[in-house]
Amino acid sequence: MTDDTLLRKAGHCFDRLDHDHDGRLSEADYRALAARACKAFGYPDDSPRARSALSGYLALWRTLLQPMDADGDGAVSRAEYVDALAGPDGRGIDAHAYELSMGVAAAAFVDIADADRSGELDLEEFTTLYRVTFPDLTAEEVRTAFEAVDADNSATVSTDELKEAIRTYFTGTDAGAPADRLFGTLPD
């Protein structure tokens, strides 16, 4: 897989996350995403689960996305996002910060979507989370993403499995790896 493919993958992920299509990701976008997730899972606005969801999404913003804001304008452009994740050396952010942020992302997603508090996501929980986070994905793309993340074929997704799938998506050099379908079909 070429560096060009890593750039395309990072750009594809950004496009899936940019729900309002303004070409920017901001803290406000992540607050709105937390609110949509809470609504989808039925968490009342003032509940501990809603506060935890907001905290998780804001941690994701502060740990992963805010440091990508190279021009300091309070938002991350597509170019900043792509450069940070797949810059000239294949991954433009510090390896330690990257691993930390992937752990924060995976833990936040699992915590928010784990409605039954089992510690893992079943297909229904995963689907609800994905429909909120990536509304443009088809039902088949969501199922394919779930199967790609469920590395041990247990019919559930753990935080570690999700973290590994995210890491593999953004750093993997194995063309056609299952994790390449994490955010839907990668355009040519």
Side-chain angles (χ1 to χ4, degrees):
M1 189 174 293
T2 66
D3 285 341
D4 181 57
T5 301
L6 293 175
L7 293 169
R8 284 187 320 118
K9 286 168 47 171
H12 178 63
C13 181
F14 179 92
D15 295 342
R16 294 292 191 175
L17 290 169
D18 184 19
H19 295 184
D20 59 8
H21 307 290
D22 67 353
R24 303 161 37 100
L25 298 176
S26 67
E27 182 177 320
D29 291 326
Y30 278 75
R31 286 180 179 278
L33 188 54
R36 286 193 303 275
C38 289
K39 183 177 180 181
F41 285 101
Y43 305 149
D45 290 343
D46 60 347
S47 70
R49 290 298 300 269
R51 286 190 296 276
S52 178
L54 178 59
S55 177
Y57 276 103
L58 291 179
L60 177 59
W61 166 255
R62 288 184 194 115
T63 306
L64 177 62
L65 289 132
Q66 191 172 32
M68 295 178 183
D69 181 14
D71 63 10
D73 67 352
V76 177
S77 69
R78 188 179 196 276
E80 288 170 326
Y81 186 90
V82 170
D83 187 55
L85 290 174
D89 63 349
R91 185 174 72 217
I93 61 175
D94 171 80
H96 177 71
Y98 184 81
E99 287 300 319
L100 174 65
S101 63
M102 290 303 100
V104 168
F109 288 139
V110 171
D111 184 61
I112 290 159
D114 184 15
D116 64 7
R117 303 315 259 172
S118 67
E120 298 180 323
L121 304 182
D122 61 26
L123 179 58
E124 182 179 347
E125 292 165 330
F126 185 90
T127 298
T128 300
L129 175 68
Y130 256 56
R131 300 305 298 153
V132 168
T133 309
F134 309 109
D136 295 336
L137 292 181
T138 67
E140 183 60 31
E141 287 175 315
V142 173
R143 178 177 279 287
T144 298
F146 179 83
E147 291 169 356
V149 176
D150 181 20
D152 65 2
N153 297 312
S154 64
T156 60
V157 169
S158 69
T159 299
D160 287 342
E161 285 175 318
L162 186 55
K163 179 181 174 182
E164 180 60 20
I166 294 168
R167 186 196 63 74
T168 300
Y169 179 85
F170 286 112
T171 63
T173 58
D174 180 15
D180 284 356
R181 295 182 298 281
L182 189 59
F183 306 112
T185 304
L186 186 64
D188 292 325

